[in-house]
Amino acid sequence: MLLLDSLGRRWSLRIIWELQDGPAKVRALRSACDGVSPSVLTKRISELRKLGFVEKTDGGYGLTRDGESLAERLRKLDRWARRWDKRRQR
């Protein structure tokens, strides 16, 4: 339940999604996550670091091995959701 509760917090999954293409600085993450306040972004990054999904890198923040594994599963869920949405719209 810790995982579901943590990832269910607003912006957590979006941050992981945005980091799947490589490390990003806070400013770039904030721009990609339009609408997130600086304090919430900082808090979510901190939470994701404590969970072991995000790490500080020379390029800002990036995904750890577990973060990459989670992002891979999110991509699969995204593909499934797109197929589901097409069927739903028929």
Side-chain angles (χ1 to χ4, degrees):
M1 290 312 298
L2 170 66
L3 177 66
L4 294 177
D5 287 343
S6 299
L7 296 179
R9 291 191 177 122
R10 189 164 186 194
W11 301 109
S12 294
L13 288 174
R14 178 70 182 268
I15 292 166
I16 291 182
W17 187 262
E18 295 299 336
L19 291 175
Q20 69 182 326
D21 293 328
K25 296 190 182 289
V26 171
R27 186 176 299 233
L29 272 176
R30 188 160 174 241
S31 177
C33 299
D34 43 278
V36 65
S37 72
S39 60
V40 171
L41 179 60
T42 300
K43 185 174 183 175
R44 292 298 174 266
I45 289 171
S46 175
E47 291 167 355
L48 292 169
R49 287 182 73 189
K50 287 179 186 172
L51 291 168
F53 295 122
V54 172
E55 63 187 353
K56 189 147 178 63
T57 69
D58 291 338
Y61 291 96
L63 296 177
T64 62
R65 185 176 300 163
D66 283 339
E68 291 284 349
S69 179
L70 177 57
E72 179 183 329
R73 280 142 183 86
L74 292 177
R75 286 189 295 273
K76 289 179 181 180
L77 180 60
D78 180 60
R79 286 191 298 271
W80 179 89
R82 289 173 191 272
R83 289 190 306 267
W84 169 81
D85 190 43
K86 285 180 183 177
R87 288 191 309 273
R88 187 182 61 82
Q89 291 181 18
R90 291 182 195 157

